[in-house]
Amino acid sequence: MEKQYKTHFRKVYKSDHLGVADLEDYLEDGKRLVFKIREVKQELGATVAGKKGNFNIAYFEENIKPLVLNATNAAVLKGFSGSSFVEDWKGLLIELFIDSTVKMKGDVVGGVRIVKRQPIIDADLTNEINSCNDVSSLQSIFSKMSNEQKQRYKVLVTERKKELENVKSA
C-alpha cells in the first residue's frame, strides 16, 4: 500500500525552528523523537515566529531544525543537567512530544515539549539492532529483551525491519 502524503496547514508558515508540524511528520514516518543536543545558544535579537527577541535555542546532532526553548523546556534541561548554564546542556539526550494543551494568546495551539524523563539508549544494543542483516536476527534480539527494552527499542527495531524488507524486495 502506497503511503499517502498530506500537507500540514502550518507548513505554509515557514519556520526555521522546530514545531508541531515537523514532529507530526516524524511521527507519521514512524520515527523516534529522541535527539542529542549539540549546543544551546542564547541568541539576542533573533527572529522567532515573526517576532524579534532574546531566545535560548537548542541545536541538535541530528539533521533537524533547532528548537526554541521556552521556560518549560529550559527548566527540564536544567533538571537533566543539574545546571542553569546553557553551555552545560551540550550532549543531553532528549525525547520530544507534542503537547496538545499548550496555549498561546489564550488559544490552545499545541506545542513541542521535552519529556521530563531522559531517554536511556543502550549503544551496544542499538549497534546490535543496526547490524542485523535479516528479519529473523532482529526477532531473535527482540525476544531476548526485557519489557522495558522492548518498549524503548520497538520503533528502532521496526525502522530496521522496514529497511531490511525494502532491501529484500528491491
Side-chain angles (χ1 to χ4, degrees):
M1 186 167 129
E2 189 175 318
K3 180 177 177 181
Q4 182 182 9
Y5 289 94
K6 296 180 180 179
T7 305
H8 194 285
F9 75 93
R10 289 186 179 173
K11 286 286 185 184
V12 74
Y13 310 111
K14 294 187 179 192
S15 172
D16 295 331
H17 302 97
L18 198 60
V20 170
D22 301 303
L23 292 188
E24 286 176 342
D25 286 346
Y26 277 91
L27 291 172
E28 283 185 19
D29 288 341
K31 294 183 179 173
R32 300 171 356 171
L33 300 179
V34 175
F35 306 102
K36 185 175 184 179
I37 295 176
R38 183 185 57 200
E39 68 179 327
V40 176
K41 293 182 183 177
Q42 287 189 338
E43 298 191 16
L44 308 178
T47 302
V48 172
K51 294 184 180 180
K52 278 194 176 246
N54 301 331
F55 302 95
N56 292 314
I57 302 179
Y59 294 86
F60 299 97
E61 297 285 337
E62 296 78 11
N63 186 24
I64 63 167
K65 293 178 183 179
L67 175 65
V68 178
L69 298 171
N70 59 22
T72 301
N73 287 337
V76 173
L77 295 180
K78 176 186 175 197
F80 288 170
S81 68
S83 173
S84 298
F85 301 100
V86 298
E87 294 81 6
D88 295 335
W89 300 348
K90 176 182 179 175
L92 290 176
L93 196 62
I94 63 169
E95 183 172 2
L96 301 176
F97 72 100
I98 299 169
D99 182 347
S100 59
T101 66
V102 171
K103 291 182 180 181
M104 182 168 43
K105 297 180 183 175
D107 293 330
V108 177
V109 296
V112 177
R113 293 282 191 242
I114 298 172
V115 174
K116 293 180 181 178
R117 173 187 39 50
Q118 272 191 284
I120 301 167
I121 301 297
D122 180 331
D124 291 334
L125 188 53
T126 300
N127 290 336
E128 192 175 346
I129 291 166
N130 287 331
S131 67
C132 285
N133 294 321
D134 56 48
V135 174
S136 64
S137 53
L138 268 176
Q139 291 169 332
S140 175
I141 290 171
F142 199 71
S143 68
K144 296 175 189 173
M145 290 182 190
S146 68
N147 286 340
E148 185 179 330
Q149 286 175 315
K150 285 179 181 177
Q151 208 171 15
R152 285 196 317 251
Y153 286 93
K154 192 170 189 172
V155 173
L156 181 60
V157 169
T158 302
E159 286 175 1
R160 184 66 181 145
K161 185 176 177 183
K162 284 179 189 175
E163 290 171 15
L164 292 170
E165 288 170 347
N166 287 340
V167 169
K168 187 177 180 182
S169 65

